[in-house]
Amino acid sequence: MADVAKTRAPGADALHERAHEDPMPLHGIHHVELWVGNAAQAAHFYTSALGFTEIAYAGLETGVRDRVSHVLAQGRIRLVLTGALGADSEIAEHHRRHGDGIRDIALSVPDVQHAWDYALAHGAEGVSAPHELRDPDGTVRLATIAAYGDTRHTFVEHADHTGPFLPGYAARDVGADAPEPLVLAIDHIVGNVELGRMNDWVGFYERVFGMTEMLHFSDEAISTEYSALMSKVVTDGRGRVKFPINEPAEGRRKSQIDEFLEFYDGPGAQHIALATRDIVGCVAELRGRGVEFLTIPPSYYDELPGRVGEIDESLEDLRAQGILVDRDDEGYMLQIFTKPVGDRPTMFFEIIERHGARSFGEGNFKALFEAIEREQDRRGNL
Ligand code: FE2
């Protein structure tokens, strides 16, 4: 080994160092853009029900002729709701096919040109080559690649831009007292892909983004007799971006992933998990604002203390709000899922609060279905 070190060329140590650096550094999720059928009304739901604040806008009034975009903020989360202004728009076509859905999971990167070069060199399909957008607030560099289905990843590099969002967006007057955020950051975004394609897309994120597989749950781990799925999670070097990828598995009935694929007409992003530090208060507030959540059978809570052990929250609060709990080797987590937020049974949100746990609530699949079966049993129907 010493000989190898001696024969290194000058500068080899630096090269060696770089080889261990993250090949595709990501600062995190910059924003998520949804293409929707009615951006004006969607923006009303996202602000009045989900607690977002509109911070920027682009449309006819700002010189954009083909689309309208509302930029919503809460904590570090940025969502863009975009609708079409004409029948020939690709947004209208996207909505015709998919309904409301996630078009772009944009990633903040230190160097757009590098991200683009690296992604294309590792097999990504380029959609929009690196280019600059400029306005009086400065410059932003962007490039876009294709992901599963019609989903895109835009790389965003804020060179020196100080505006409310991207160049071309007009600031909305937020007012002096912006409300306390209910949710603070995006924890993960789940993609649903076709049967047999999960490993391909895990490989895509490993090659193109230098991500690594974080956890692997077998078919058995999260299947029930009624709804089975397989899931793998990829994450970037710093653990800032987490993308679980699901594919359907054979069950007695159609799986929830099959239902998504049918109604979304192909692969797409299934849910965005939003992190909070007070899930009980957050969910109570969201319920009060009219957000609907999946109903949890009361019997789910019968087995909870035995399954997850000691937790800080009161069982009564969790039962009252329908919040789920799961535990892994590193701690526990609390989560709840909204009903789909659009017309189709496709995209929804998760609210999540982590207490050390790094998993995604897989233990809840089995616990939930067992709870449903216990209720069936009580009715003499099992
Ligand atoms: Fe999730």
Side-chain angles (χ1 to χ4, degrees):
M1 291 305 287
D3 286 344
V4 175
K6 274 180 206 160
T7 55
R8 264 191 200 150
D13 281 341
L15 280 174
H16 183 71
E17 278 298 304
R18 274 203 293 278
H20 287 272
E21 282 173 10
D22 190 345
M24 181 67 138
L26 304 174
H27 290 322
I29 294 174
H30 183 274
H31 67 270
V32 179
E33 180 167 3
L34 292 86
W35 280 4
V36 300
N38 186 333
Q41 288 188 7
H44 185 66
F45 171 79
Y46 278 81
T47 52
S48 64
L50 288 174
F52 284 85
T53 300
E54 181 161 343
I55 59 162
Y57 169 87
L60 293 173
E61 297 84 349
T62 67
V64 178
R65 302 298 301 175
D66 70 331
R67 66 189 62 195
V68 56
S69 294
H70 299 261
V71 183
L72 310 175
Q74 188 167 190
R76 295 199 303 276
I77 309 155
R78 298 288 177 276
L79 300 182
V80 183
L81 303 172
T82 296
L85 289 176
D88 295 336
S89 159
E90 59 173 343
I91 300 156
E93 173 55 23
H94 193 274
H95 182 260
R96 187 195 66 76
R97 181 165 176 203
H98 301 299
D100 287 6
I102 293 173
R103 167 63 170 186
D104 197 339
I105 302 165
L107 299 160
S108 183
V109 299
D111 183 342
V112 157
Q113 187 65 50
H114 168 79
W116 169 264
D117 291 342
Y118 189 88
L120 264 57
H122 291 82
E125 178 196 333
V127 174
S128 174
H131 58 283
E132 286 188 349
L133 291 182
R134 232 179 252 119
D135 72 3
D137 290 325
T139 304
V140 172
R141 279 185 274 278
L142 303 163
T144 303
I145 63 167
Y148 45 80
D150 286 332
T151 313
R152 303 284 181 259
H153 290 302
T154 291
F155 300 122
V156 184
E157 177 190 346
H158 271 262
D160 61 356
H161 193 256
T162 57
F165 185 56
L166 297 177
Y169 286 79
R172 285 289 210 209
D173 186 10
V174 176
D177 41 17
E180 272 292 298
L182 301 170
V183 286
L184 303 169
I186 292 176
D187 185 273
H188 60 273
I189 301 178
V190 176
N192 282 348
V193 301
E194 306 96 320
L195 181 62
R197 296 301 311 280
M198 175 181 69
N199 285 328
D200 297 342
W201 285 105
V202 167
F204 168 86
Y205 284 104
E206 287 174 340
R207 280 194 322 276
V208 170
F209 290 87
M211 290 185 171
T212 52
E213 195 183 327
M214 188 173 164
L215 296 156
H216 174 220
F217 301 98
S218 69
D219 190 1
E220 293 76 36
I222 52 174
S223 72
T224 71
E225 281 195 74
Y226 300 106
S227 187
L229 64 89
M230 295 204 280
S231 188
K232 289 184 178 179
V233 184
V234 287
T235 185
D236 69 308
R238 298 179 193 172
R240 290 179 181 175
V241 180
K242 287 170 280 184
F243 292 147
I245 307 290
N246 294 336
E247 72 174 22
E250 294 292 323
R252 191 187 287 178
R253 295 187 191 167
K254 183 188 283 186
S255 85
Q256 55 162 305
I257 312 303
D258 284 316
E259 186 189 41
F260 178 100
L261 295 170
E262 178 185 338
F263 282 89
Y264 199 72
D265 195 18
Q270 180 208 41
H271 72 266
I272 304 176
L274 305 173
T276 178
R277 287 203 200 99
D278 171 21
I279 194 166
V280 172
C282 171
V283 171
E285 175 70 20
L286 293 174
R287 284 187 188 280
R289 292 159 166 257
V291 177
E292 292 188 281
F293 294 93
L294 292 191
T295 305
I296 308 306
S299 56
Y300 169 87
Y301 295 93
D302 299 346
E303 307 295 320
L304 191 59
R307 190 165 64 80
V308 301
E310 205 165 303
I311 56 173
D312 296 341
E313 292 72 18
S314 101
L315 193 60
E316 274 324 297
D317 284 346
L318 300 181
R319 192 200 307 263
Q321 297 300 338
I323 294 164
L324 306 171
V325 193
D326 204 6
R327 182 177 280 284
D328 65 18
D329 294 343
E330 292 165 88
Y332 70 96
M333 55 93 91
L334 305 129
Q335 65 184 162
I336 189 168
F337 302 99
T338 71
K339 292 185 176 175
V341 291
D343 296 324
R344 304 189 194 188
T346 52
M347 203 203 103
F348 57 89
F349 286 91
E350 172 183 348
I351 310 295
I352 183 169
E353 180 178 342
R354 292 187 183 277
H355 290 256
R358 294 169 69 229
S359 55
F360 297 82
E362 290 72 15
N364 276 321
F365 283 82
K366 198 160 181 283
L368 259 180
F369 277 89
E370 284 173 355
I372 289 166
E373 285 167 8
R374 273 198 303 281
E375 306 240 315
Q376 264 181 288
D377 194 27
R378 278 179 201 149
R379 296 190 294 268
N381 292 335
L382 194 68

